[in-house]
Structures are given as C-alpha cells and as structure tokens.
Amino acid sequence: MSRPPQHFKVASSEHNGVSVIQSQVAVTAANAVAAALPSSPGGKAAAPGKMKKSSGDKDSDEYRQRRERNNLAVKKSRQRSKQKAMDTQQRVNQLKEENERLEAKIKLLSKELSVLKDLFLEHAHNLADNTQPPSAANPAADNP
C-alpha cells in the first residue's frame, strides 16, 4: 500500500520575542487516515473490542470458550442471587417467630403485672383498715 503524498506548510512567526515554527499536514493525508479507520453510526471511531465480529467467529474455539465462561458466570450469579433470597426469607421467618414469642411473653408479663398490682393494692387497703389511729381504734383506753 502506498502512502498518500504529504504536503507540509511551514510557517514561522515570532511571539514575545520567541520564534515559533508551525507545520501542517495536508488535508488529503488526514482524509486518508480517517477513511482507513472503522467508524460507528455517530461518526466516531468504534472501539477495537466493540467492532462486529463476522459470523465465522462464532465457530471459533475462542468464541466458544468466552461463551462457556460467560454462561458459567451467569449461572453462578443467579445461584448467588437465589441463595441470598433464600437466606433473607429464612431470616424473615426467624424474626417472625421471635416476634411472636416476644409478644406472648409481653402478654404473660402484663397479666403477671396486673395480678401483682391487684395484690399490692389489696394488701395496702388491708393495712390501711387495720392500722387506725390509737384514739379511734380503742376509745375506752383513752378514758381511765
């Protein structure tokens, strides 16, 4: 393959006392390079790994190996996802059972508290009835 002719335009200028030399490649060389690159619909060059493979590549060993690795990775990912869902469901069930036990315990302790309050109030009432001031309890003892 022959190279397209390159035309250089050399310009020299002076900026702030410094000499600057500029060169420019002719438009024909840029067009030749751009035509050689594959492009995508957006006008941008396609990435080397993203270029379409011909149908003959599907029969290659490399393609089959990549597909097998990908299939195994997908299978493994799905299995992990299923396991995670099962673990989560098991945890939910455990927490539900624990919640039911705790609610039953709350109910039992509430009943026990109610009984103890009633006993306490009854005892306090009995104490108040039995403990009266000495003058009111025995009026004859005050008069000799």
Coordinates of all heavy atoms in Angstrom, one line a residue, residues 106-121:
I106 N -44.8 -10.7 76.4 CA -45.3 -9.4 76.9 C -46.7 -9.6 77.4 O -47.0 -9.0 78.5 CB -45.4 -8.4 75.7 CG1 -43.9 -8.0 75.3 CG2 -46.2 -7.2 76.0 CD1 -43.9 -7.1 74.0
K107 N -47.5 -10.4 76.8 CA -48.9 -10.6 77.3 C -48.8 -11.3 78.6 O -49.5 -10.9 79.6 CB -49.6 -11.5 76.3 CG -51.1 -11.6 76.5 CD -51.8 -12.5 75.5 CE -52.1 -11.7 74.3 NZ -53.0 -12.4 73.3
L108 N -48.0 -12.3 78.8 CA -47.8 -13.0 80.1 C -47.3 -12.1 81.2 O -47.9 -12.1 82.3 CB -46.9 -14.2 79.9 CG -46.6 -15.0 81.2 CD1 -47.9 -15.8 81.5 CD2 -45.4 -16.0 80.9
L109 N -46.3 -11.3 80.9 CA -45.8 -10.4 81.9 C -46.8 -9.3 82.2 O -46.9 -8.8 83.4 CB -44.5 -9.7 81.4 CG -43.3 -10.7 81.3 CD1 -42.1 -10.0 80.6 CD2 -42.9 -11.2 82.7
S110 N -47.6 -8.9 81.3 CA -48.6 -7.9 81.5 C -49.7 -8.4 82.5 O -50.1 -7.8 83.4 CB -49.3 -7.4 80.2 OG -48.4 -6.7 79.4
K111 N -50.1 -9.7 82.3 CA -51.0 -10.4 83.2 C -50.4 -10.5 84.6 O -51.1 -10.2 85.6 CB -51.4 -11.7 82.7 CG -52.3 -11.7 81.5 CD -52.7 -13.1 81.1 CE -53.6 -13.1 79.9 NZ -54.0 -14.5 79.4
E112 N -49.2 -10.9 84.6 CA -48.5 -11.0 85.9 C -48.4 -9.7 86.7 O -48.7 -9.6 87.9 CB -47.1 -11.6 85.7 CG -46.3 -11.9 87.0 CD -45.0 -12.5 86.8 OE1 -44.7 -13.0 85.7 OE2 -44.1 -12.5 87.7
L113 N -48.1 -8.6 85.9 CA -48.0 -7.3 86.5 C -49.4 -6.9 87.0 O -49.5 -6.3 88.1 CB -47.6 -6.3 85.4 CG -47.5 -4.8 85.9 CD1 -46.5 -4.6 87.0 CD2 -47.2 -3.9 84.7
S114 N -50.4 -7.2 86.3 CA -51.8 -6.8 86.7 C -52.2 -7.5 88.0 O -52.7 -6.9 89.0 CB -52.8 -7.2 85.6 OG -54.1 -6.9 86.0
V115 N -51.8 -8.8 88.1 CA -52.1 -9.6 89.3 C -51.3 -9.1 90.5 O -51.8 -8.9 91.6 CB -51.8 -11.1 89.1 CG1 -51.8 -11.9 90.4 CG2 -52.7 -11.7 88.1
L116 N -50.0 -8.8 90.3 CA -49.2 -8.2 91.4 C -49.7 -6.8 91.8 O -49.7 -6.5 93.0 CB -47.8 -8.1 90.9 CG -47.1 -9.5 90.8 CD1 -45.7 -9.3 90.2 CD2 -47.0 -10.2 92.1
K117 N -50.2 -6.0 90.9 CA -50.7 -4.7 91.3 C -52.0 -4.9 92.1 O -52.1 -4.2 93.1 CB -51.1 -3.9 90.0 CG -50.0 -3.1 89.4 CD -50.6 -2.3 88.2 CE -49.5 -1.5 87.5 NZ -50.1 -0.8 86.4
D118 N -52.8 -5.8 91.7 CA -54.1 -6.1 92.5 C -53.7 -6.6 93.9 O -54.3 -6.1 94.9 CB -55.0 -7.1 91.8 CG -55.6 -6.5 90.5 OD1 -55.6 -5.3 90.3 OD2 -56.1 -7.4 89.6
L119 N -52.7 -7.5 94.0 CA -52.3 -8.0 95.3 C -51.8 -6.8 96.2 O -52.1 -6.7 97.4 CB -51.2 -9.1 95.2 CG -51.7 -10.5 94.7 CD1 -50.5 -11.4 94.5 CD2 -52.6 -11.0 95.8
F120 N -50.9 -6.0 95.6 CA -50.4 -4.9 96.3 C -51.5 -3.9 96.8 O -51.4 -3.5 97.9 CB -49.4 -4.1 95.4 CG -48.8 -2.9 96.0 CD1 -47.8 -3.0 97.0 CD2 -49.3 -1.6 95.7 CE1 -47.3 -1.9 97.6 CE2 -48.7 -0.5 96.3 CZ -47.7 -0.6 97.2
L121 N -52.4 -3.6 95.9 CA -53.5 -2.7 96.3 C -54.3 -3.3 97.4 O -54.7 -2.6 98.3 CB -54.3 -2.3 95.1 CG -53.6 -1.4 94.0 CD1 -54.5 -1.2 92.8 CD2 -53.2 -0.1 94.6

